[in-house]
Amino acid sequence: MSQIASNPVHSAVPLPPLQPPEPTFTKLILELRGIRFEIDREMLMSLPESILIVMFPNGLILGRSGALDYEEEEEQDDHASTDSMELEDQVIYVDFDPLCLEYIMNFYKTAQDAFYSNQGSSSNFPHSPTQNPLLNKQAIIVLREELDYFTIPPKSKKKDNTSSSPVGNTSEALEMTEVESTTNIYELKTECGTILLDQRKIFTALQRNVNKENNVAEQHLIDMLCVSGFSRDDEWGYRNIEPHKTSIVSIALVMLKTTGQSNQMATAQKLLLFWRKPARKCWWDGLEVSVGTIPIRLWCRRTWTLELALV
């Protein structure tokens, strides 16, 4: 040791390339709306903060073994281990779309495989834990939209009580009945939800608001996201209507670009500010749609959540 330390010239040994994190075998069982997932504890904790808040609005306390920590007043010798717990006692029930979680987990796996498979080309460069985290892990831009829509059906014509003509009264009564039958509010909400569900373009609504309000900040947001990994014609990766609600939840994940243009890394560093710190933006959007021959006015309250995740 002393000889090496005293020698001012010595050969630098290159560090091995980055390797994906060692898998842990602590599993959690989640039941999402009737569908069970077996998920690794580390994978669960690496999910975007905005997703975890929705999945566990009241919080989730995990013990060292990955099981839920419960406050028990029984004696220590009466405590059963996690392995001996009944299966139902280990299940964590979550009110969250299982297909959405599957989409996120699949994208995480794809991003990890793509990032670590490319590390062989840069294996001659040493990696330090103090370096830019964007160089040590794959960054993912997480964009989520919650869309709450409200339908305004056309007003049905009221019967004119001042008219004394029985023929006129009969005609108006028939017309009123036809309008009311065709504008069943529940059917209209369902049809309007289907129409909105088919509108899968990510930036169409925000760009419409930019053109209407001439909002420079919103235009800058679109430009920054498109430089960092999105394209202007991108569609939501997953989009679905929440059960028993007039609400549509959408999510899109893209891998953050750190190379390309001259200012690519500077833009990526800006997005690094959203790591574990989701930012929200909300605005109202008015639309006119047609359900059959009935014109419907829709008011949509759109809430975007932007976050950066590292895997």
Side-chain angles (χ1 to χ4, degrees):
M1 292 290 293
S2 60
Q3 293 179 355
I4 296 178
S6 61
N7 188 0
V9 180
H10 58 275
S11 60
V13 180
L15 296 177
L18 287 176
Q19 297 295 331
E22 291 294 330
T24 58
F25 299 98
T26 304
K27 299 292 184 178
L28 298 174
I29 302 176
L30 305 181
E31 182 165 317
L32 285 71
R33 298 176 181 174
I35 299 179
R36 292 194 175 182
F37 279 82
E38 190 177 82
I39 183 173
D40 185 82
R41 181 182 186 275
E42 296 301 324
M43 169 63 78
L44 178 64
M45 300 311 298
S46 68
L47 293 179
E49 191 76 15
S50 55
I51 300 298
L52 291 175
I53 292 175
V54 177
M55 292 179 64
F56 309 103
N58 298 322
L60 178 66
I61 303 176
L62 296 176
R64 293 182 180 177
S65 62
L68 284 172
D69 278 345
Y70 294 100
E71 295 183 359
E72 298 177 346
E73 298 180 355
E74 300 177 1
E75 298 180 358
Q76 184 175 1
D77 54 351
D78 293 331
H79 289 176
S81 63
T82 305
D83 295 336
S84 62
M85 290 174 61
E86 294 293 336
L87 179 60
E88 291 300 324
D89 294 334
Q90 300 182 44
V91 176
I92 305 173
Y93 295 91
V94 182
D95 184 18
F96 190 78
D97 191 337
L99 296 179
C100 182
L101 179 61
E102 184 178 9
Y103 163 74
I104 297 173
M105 293 175 61
N106 289 339
F107 192 93
Y108 265 42
K109 183 65 167 58
T110 302
Q112 283 183 328
D113 293 343
F115 179 77
Y116 291 109
S117 64
N118 293 332
Q119 291 304 310
S121 59
S122 59
S123 59
N124 295 328
F125 297 94
H127 300 282
S128 170
T130 60
Q131 284 183 341
N132 187 344
L134 297 178
L135 302 178
N136 295 330
K137 291 187 177 182
Q138 176 62 57
I140 298 175
I141 305 176
V142 182
L143 185 61
R144 185 173 182 270
E145 181 188 71
E146 297 177 12
L147 189 160
D148 299 309
Y149 64 93
F150 305 87
T151 60
I152 303 178
K155 295 181 179 179
S156 57
K157 296 183 179 180
K158 296 182 179 179
K159 181 179 178 180
D160 188 3
N161 295 327
T162 60
S163 175
S164 59
S165 171
V167 176
N169 289 342
T170 303
S171 175
E172 289 181 0
L174 289 173
E175 185 177 5
M176 180 180 65
T177 303
E178 291 176 358
V179 171
E180 288 179 344
S181 63
T182 55
T183 57
N184 183 286
I185 188 64
Y186 299 105
E187 295 178 0
L188 285 181
K189 289 181 178 180
T190 302
E191 292 294 332
C192 291
T194 303
I195 293 174
L196 291 173
L197 189 65
D198 293 335
Q199 299 177 4
R200 301 187 60 90
K201 298 290 186 181
I202 296 177
F203 298 108
T204 299
L206 186 58
Q207 189 65 60
R208 182 167 55 241
N209 194 57
V210 170
N211 299 337
K212 178 182 177 182
E213 304 291 341
N214 194 23
N215 193 314
V216 178
E218 292 179 351
Q219 185 62 57
H220 177 69
L221 173 62
I222 295 176
D223 295 339
M224 181 178 65
L225 291 176
C226 291
V227 168
S228 302
F230 285 96
S231 65
R232 299 186 184 276
D233 294 329
D234 270 349
E235 297 184 351
W236 293 107
Y238 181 77
R239 184 173 175 88
N240 203 2
I241 301 177
E242 286 289 281
H244 312 298
K245 295 180 181 179
T246 55
S247 178
I248 298 176
V249 176
S250 309
I251 188 171
L253 307 177
V254 296
M255 287 182 277
L256 176 65
K257 291 182 180 179
T258 55
T259 59
Q261 301 181 9
S262 58
N263 62 339
Q264 195 77 54
M265 181 56 74
T267 304
Q269 290 282 4
K270 293 180 181 179
L271 286 172
L272 188 59
L273 298 174
F274 299 105
W275 178 39
R276 290 295 185 183
K277 295 179 181 179
R280 294 166 64 90
K281 172 179 176 52
C282 180
W283 77 97
W284 286 90
D285 185 25
L287 295 172
E288 289 187 359
V289 299
S290 295
V291 178
T293 58
I294 306 173
I296 303 296
R297 182 69 176 175
L298 286 178
W299 282 105
C300 303
R301 183 178 183 271
R302 300 177 185 265
T303 303
W304 273 22
T305 304
L306 176 63
E307 184 181 357
L308 193 75
L310 297 177
V311 297

